[in-house]
Amino acid sequence: MRKNNDAVTIDDFAALYEKYGPMVLRRCRFLLKDEEKALDAMQDVFVRILEKRTTISSVCSSLFYTVATRVCLNKIRADKIRSGPSVENLVIEIADNVTANHEEVADTSALLDVIFSETKEDTREMAVLHYVDGYTLEETAEKMNMSVSGVRKRLSVLRTKALACVTMVTAVFYGFANIGRR
């Protein structure tokens, strides 16, 4: 073991472990909040430094502190990714949502069919570009090879028709709801 003014070389693993081990463990405990994970991370820190020993010219506490921080943050990130919902739970949840939303999707589809009935196909495309995809009026006009005022007019007519349909559906719904209350 070569020591100069308490300096430890990269080749003396035991001295490195003795000198920097406690600091690395404290850092890992602080970040991971779990003794077992902290011990594993500490071992990983020393393994990483030993793997890079040919490219490291000297060691200091800031090197170990930085490597410990990165190792711990990577472990935290990896744990978050692994702790996501299981595939089985996702499949069950998707199946439940499909069943629950089926009626709503059918109702929405029927309403959209009424709104878009007797409407030009490119008006429907305009509505999707502007309202669903988030294109501006200028971008929509460019995609449709129309003027901005033409797009604005068609969307305005479509919006008026949609409001009339929604008003009619609401009136019918409340009419049915009030039939049993007489």
Side-chain angles (χ1 to χ4, degrees), residues 93-134:
E93 189 170 329
I94 290 170
D96 288 346
N97 285 342
V98 167
T99 305
N101 293 336
H102 179 68
E103 189 173 311
E104 184 179 323
V105 168
D107 292 345
T108 304
S109 179
L111 181 61
L112 287 173
D113 286 343
V114 170
I115 291 170
F116 285 116
S117 68
E118 301 172 14
T119 303
K120 294 180 181 178
E121 183 62 35
D122 57 346
T123 303
R124 179 180 228 160
E125 187 177 339
M126 258 184 255
V128 169
L129 287 171
H130 186 66
Y131 295 118
V132 177
D133 296 340

Side-chain angles (χ1 to χ4, degrees), residues 27 53 58 62 71-72 84-85 88 90 97 107 115 128 144 156 163 174 177-178 182:
R27 182 66 177 156
R53 73 176 169 260
S58 65
S62 63
V71 165
C72 290
E88 295 82 21
L90 284 176
N97 285 342
D107 292 345
I115 291 170
V128 169
M144 299 303 298
S156 174
L163 286 172
Y174 283 119
N178 291 326
R182 291 183 194 181

Side-chain angles (χ1 to χ4, degrees), residues 143-157:
K143 291 256 186 213
M144 299 303 298
N145 294 323
M146 293 179 64
S147 67
V148 174
S149 62
V151 169
R152 187 178 291 121
K153 175 71 175 163
R154 284 226 204 147
L155 292 177
S156 174
V157 169

Side-chain angles (χ1 to χ4, degrees), residues 19-113:
K19 183 172 183 177
Y20 298 112
M23 179 202 59
V24 170
L25 183 59
R26 278 193 308 276
R27 182 66 177 156
C28 293
R29 281 180 182 149
F30 175 78
L31 290 172
L32 297 173
K33 312 281 191 256
D34 181 295
E35 185 68 22
E36 188 176 321
K37 288 181 182 180
L39 289 169
D40 288 343
M42 182 178 80
Q43 297 300 321
D44 288 347
V45 168
F46 281 93
V47 167
R48 292 212 180 152
I49 288 177
L50 283 175
E51 286 174 345
K52 301 289 184 183
R53 73 176 169 260
T54 57
T55 58
I56 296 174
S57 59
S58 65
V59 294
C60 60
S61 61
S62 63
L63 171 69
F64 281 91
Y65 190 85
T66 302
V67 173
T69 301
R70 288 183 180 164
V71 165
C72 290
L73 293 177
N74 286 340
K75 284 190 178 296
I76 291 168
R77 230 176 275 122
D79 287 348
K80 282 184 181 178
I81 290 170
R82 282 189 216 111
S83 69
S86 68
V87 174
E88 295 82 21
N89 290 344
L90 284 176
V91 169
I92 291 169
E93 189 170 329
I94 290 170
D96 288 346
N97 285 342
V98 167
T99 305
N101 293 336
H102 179 68
E103 189 173 311
E104 184 179 323
V105 168
D107 292 345
T108 304
S109 179
L111 181 61
L112 287 173
D113 286 343

